[in-house]
Amino acid sequence: MSVAPYERVKLARDNSRPTGLDYIKNIFQGFIEFHGDRCYADDHAIVGGIAKLNGQPVTVIAIEKGHTAKERTYRNFGAPNPEGYRKALRLMKQADKFGRPIICFIDTSGAYCGIGAEERGQGQAIAENLMEMSTLCVPVISILIGEGGSGGALALAVADRVWMLQNSVYSVISPEGCASILWKDAAQAETAAASLKLTAEDAKSLGVIERILSEKDMGKKEFYERIRTLLTEELQELSDDVDLISKRYDRFRRIGEGAAKEQV
Amino acid sequence: MAFINFIKPKNKLEEGGRTAAPVQQDAGEPEKKCPNCRKDIPLSRLWANNLVCSCGYHFRMKARQRIQMIVEKDSFQELYADVKAGNPLNFPGYQEKAETVRQISGEEEAVICGTAQIGKEKCCLFVMESYFMMGSMGSAVGEKITRLFEHATKHRLPVIGFTVSGGARMQEGLLSLMQMAKTSAAVKRHSDAGLLYIAVLTDPTTGGVTASFAMEADIILAEPGATVGFAGARVIEQTTRKPLPAGFQTSEFVLDHGFIDRIVIRSEQKKMLAELLEMHRGGNA
Ligand SMILES: [Zn+2]
């Protein structure tokens, strides 16, 4: 059974999917939310704090889209501003200091395209996250749960392990955006979606992610339990690794190495 | 710094070489119209002045000409010239487009890397090429810049980088997105080794390049009037349905908002870079 790439995009965007906070509440115990970037504001599109995973303290960060119309407006539809990325980095550095593993849940159409976002350095905020995450001393696992929109998603995904839900997508540009730029026709989004190779299977075969998570019983107790078990096991393995930072470097270093061909 | 709101000319050739036909010139010496002051400038004078109009407008410049302008004579040694993009996703039309652009631009890829001497100092240098798919970053661009930073870290050299980019190269999908993380990690290693990195942002520096190595330098300079931003202005207008403020996403705008160190006009760039390199000789070692 195969689902067309553009259908995957629609599934990934579906309002009824569990959002970041659903994962936090159902996988971890005793979540304590921490707010603000200590610079400008508290971005409601990114939720972060500390919680326990099977008794172990961890830092959790999630891009939250909200479910109801009111929630979605409050969360800016999961499109973070620079202060969201700065809050996330602040919490990651806090985790680094106290030796807590970091788990990120990603679900965004992209970093917010706004006047204020540009004025406050959206590009700089993302750049700093990419740079700083590459040398965090603690294990980082990032899970794409819905949309993985470009740099705005990557800013929370410079991780040791990146996993994707079966019907989540991860892309450098939205298929509609790609179609309108390349073919001046947003209606060609289907073709773009297929060409961009944005499904979980594509990402895995390109070596961009390690694992695809099944959506069986999505939103039910069993679903979250399964993810909790996987996270616990993976963190166990990563915590024993003394070579974490250089392996994380190599993880990204090799991507696209073969695509950049050298002439003989 | 006077606030100049330049008009950006649209050049089809820069965007991927759809119009390769040369523009017909009138009899006499060929001239180019300045989009800022509207005067016709003889091409010879424009070239002698490193493509800067007497009104101060900075035209876009080809990467090799820029290298000539910045480095000591015969000091540039190109690295990784053979690295170029394939078509890893078999993206429709990409191979053909890249080949056309290669023929027109005379370059294999959207960045040129190497070592050079500026003033008395040796450095690693990368210069992005707007005439190659508007400096878009794919696997080859990411790979070349990453290799350059690794080379600089190994040999304890500073890096100077001129950026120009429309963003990630979408024809390489996720692979191009990942180059943002890959280059950033290489910049971080170079930085952690106590070495200097200076970025010079030129028109336009946007998207995934802004959100990675353009904004990660110790010292960030920019040319006057360059577009510098993350999201495209049109996308922001559509998203917010608000008029954009005057001078939005220009060098002057990002300077005003605290994201770059200085604006440096072209004729002063070499002297400024030489001076900065000299003041950081040997990094922090
Ligand atoms: Zn002029």
Side-chain angles (χ1 to χ4, degrees):
Chain A
M1 180 196 76
S2 91
V3 184
Y6 197 56
E7 292 306 308
R8 289 291 178 85
V9 175
K10 289 183 195 161
L11 284 170
R13 289 172 180 167
D14 195 315
N15 279 355
S16 63
R17 284 176 83 81
T19 61
L21 272 171
D22 296 322
Y23 286 85
I24 293 180
K25 282 177 194 152
N26 288 288
I27 293 171
F28 306 91
Q29 304 88 45
F31 174 61
I32 305 169
E33 185 175 356
F34 296 149
H35 294 275
D37 68 344
R38 302 289 194 269
C39 285
Y40 178 77
D42 182 41
D43 188 352
H44 303 147
I46 294 189
V47 176
I50 55 174
K52 283 188 173 177
L53 177 72
N54 283 332
Q56 184 192 10
V58 292
T59 287
V60 287
I61 297 164
I63 303 181
E64 171 63 29
K65 278 186 176 170
H67 288 288
T68 64
K70 202 176 155 191
E71 278 171 6
R72 290 171 78 81
T73 306
Y74 179 74
R75 300 293 178 187
N76 199 30
F77 304 89
N81 273 284
E83 43 276 15
Y85 295 112
R86 294 191 179 115
K87 169 166 72 176
L89 184 59
R90 179 177 80 79
L91 296 178
M92 288 192 260
K93 288 193 163 175
Q94 186 190 70
D96 208 33
K97 174 176 174 181
F98 295 105
R100 284 192 293 265
I102 299 162
I103 296 152
C104 299
F105 296 93
I106 297 161
D107 187 11
T108 182
S109 58
Y112 187 58
C113 297
I115 295 166
E118 294 290 319
E119 289 174 331
R120 300 190 298 278
Q122 187 72 282
Q124 187 274 341
I126 294 170
E128 188 164 10
N129 279 27
L130 302 182
M131 213 175 159
E132 294 299 324
M133 285 184 83
S134 73
T135 51
L136 290 170
C137 299
V138 293
V140 185
I141 299 177
S142 296
I143 308 179
L144 288 113
I145 57 172
E147 281 184 283
S150 199
L154 182 64
L156 296 181
V158 184
D160 302 297
R161 300 285 185 269
V162 181
W163 298 345
M164 283 176 76
L165 269 285
Q166 193 182 326
N167 289 316
S168 66
V169 292
Y170 198 5
S171 183
V172 68
I173 186 170
S174 74
E176 294 84 0
C178 176
S180 72
I181 292 171
L182 280 185
W183 303 307
K184 316 281 171 218
D185 181 10
Q188 291 220 44
E190 276 181 47
T191 316
S195 308
L196 283 165
K197 304 279 189 287
L198 43 63
T199 68
E201 289 87 351
D202 292 329
K204 186 144 189 291
S205 68
L206 290 169
V208 170
I209 64 162
E210 279 79 19
R211 192 190 283 274
I212 299 170
L213 304 178
S214 155
E215 293 187 5
K216 186 167 175 281
D217 304 319
M218 189 161 71
K220 291 190 188 143
K221 202 162 157 259
E222 297 81 356
F223 172 74
Y224 293 115
E225 259 168 24
R226 218 163 52 225
I227 298 176
R228 188 191 304 133
T229 306
L230 285 171
L231 282 172
T232 310
E233 286 170 4
E234 200 72 39
L235 281 183
Q236 185 64 51
E237 196 188 314
L238 291 170
S239 302
D240 292 338
D241 198 331
V242 291
D243 222 12
L244 210 55
I245 295 174
S246 73
K247 281 184 188 163
R248 192 182 304 139
Y249 186 89
D250 294 339
R251 185 191 180 284
F252 289 92
R253 179 67 187 83
R254 64 170 184 268
I255 297 177
E257 207 175 20
K261 283 180 203 141
E262 264 164 284
Q263 287 173 301
V264 185
Chain B
M1 179 85 217
F3 200 88
I4 321 164
N5 195 8
F6 293 124
I7 308 147
K8 292 282 136 44
K10 210 162 167 70
N11 186 335
K12 288 276 185 194
L13 203 150
E14 288 165 353
E15 293 197 324
R18 275 185 292 271
T19 46
V23 181
Q24 279 295 311
Q25 297 289 352
D26 295 334
E29 190 179 3
E31 294 178 327
K32 192 163 177 157
K33 191 179 272 303
C34 172
N36 186 52
C37 70
R38 304 254 141 227
K39 278 187 198 136
D40 292 316
I41 324 150
L43 276 187
S44 59
R45 200 167 78 206
L46 200 55
W47 277 74
N49 207 15
N50 282 315
L51 292 168
V52 179
C53 177
S54 54
C55 75
Y57 181 83
H58 285 51
F59 285 87
R60 283 178 187 158
M61 194 177 201
K62 286 205 74 182
R64 299 227 179 242
Q65 192 187 357
R66 201 180 273 288
I67 293 170
Q68 233 176 33
M69 176 186 87
I70 290 295
V71 309
E72 301 309 320
K73 197 166 183 293
D74 299 326
S75 74
F76 184 70
Q77 298 206 316
E78 190 168 356
L79 291 168
Y80 330 124
D82 291 345
V83 178
K84 60 171 185 172
N87 187 2
L89 306 186
N90 288 317
F91 198 98
Y94 179 35
Q95 195 78 55
E96 296 74 16
K97 187 169 193 166
E99 285 309 326
T100 310
V101 172
R102 277 184 191 118
Q103 279 185 6
I104 294 169
S105 68
E107 297 297 341
E108 290 294 321
E109 259 301 336
V111 69
I112 300 169
C113 297
T115 57
Q117 195 184 314
I118 300 174
K120 292 193 170 64
E121 309 299 319
K122 199 181 173 194
C123 66
C124 284
L125 175 71
F126 72 84
V127 181
M128 300 185 78
E129 176 60 271
S130 64
Y131 289 85
F132 195 101
M133 297 181 81
M134 194 34 99
S136 65
M137 173 158 68
S139 302
V141 170
E143 180 67 22
K144 286 176 87 167
I145 286 172
T146 302
R147 282 195 203 178
L148 190 73
F149 273 94
E150 289 175 343
H151 179 87
T153 307
K154 191 175 161 197
H155 299 281
R156 298 203 58 78
L157 288 169
V159 175
I160 296 198
F162 285 81
T163 60
V164 49
S165 183
R169 193 171 298 171
M170 59 192 149
Q171 292 92 339
E172 291 186 36
L174 269 180
L175 297 177
S176 68
L177 183 67
M178 293 303 130
Q179 303 311 310
M180 291 168 64
K182 176 165 135 181
T183 52
S184 297
V187 173
K188 183 65 164 37
R189 278 195 170 178
H190 182 257
S191 176
D192 286 351
L195 299 164
L196 173 70
Y197 167 32
I198 304 172
V200 187
L201 316 185
T202 74
D203 184 56
T205 295
T206 59
V209 166
T210 296
S212 62
F213 55 84
M215 283 290 163
E216 292 167 345
D218 300 296
I219 299 167
I220 307 178
L221 310 175
E223 292 203 323
T227 293
V228 177
F230 175 64
R234 226 178 322 145
V235 178
I236 295 171
E237 246 173 349
Q238 282 164 7
T239 309
T240 60
R241 294 190 197 89
K242 280 180 194 154
L244 302 176
F248 185 62
Q249 291 185 323
T250 56
S251 304
E252 292 75 12
F253 180 89
V254 286
L255 178 76
D256 229 26
H257 286 86
F259 288 96
I260 61 172
D261 290 283
R262 297 183 71 83
I263 292 173
V264 186
I265 59 170
R266 217 167 262 171
S267 58
E268 289 173 7
Q269 287 172 3
K270 181 175 179 174
K271 190 167 162 282
M272 171 68 72
L273 290 172
E275 204 171 321
L276 290 172
L277 285 172
E278 199 266 328
M279 289 178 87
H280 291 83
R281 186 177 292 162
N284 72 353

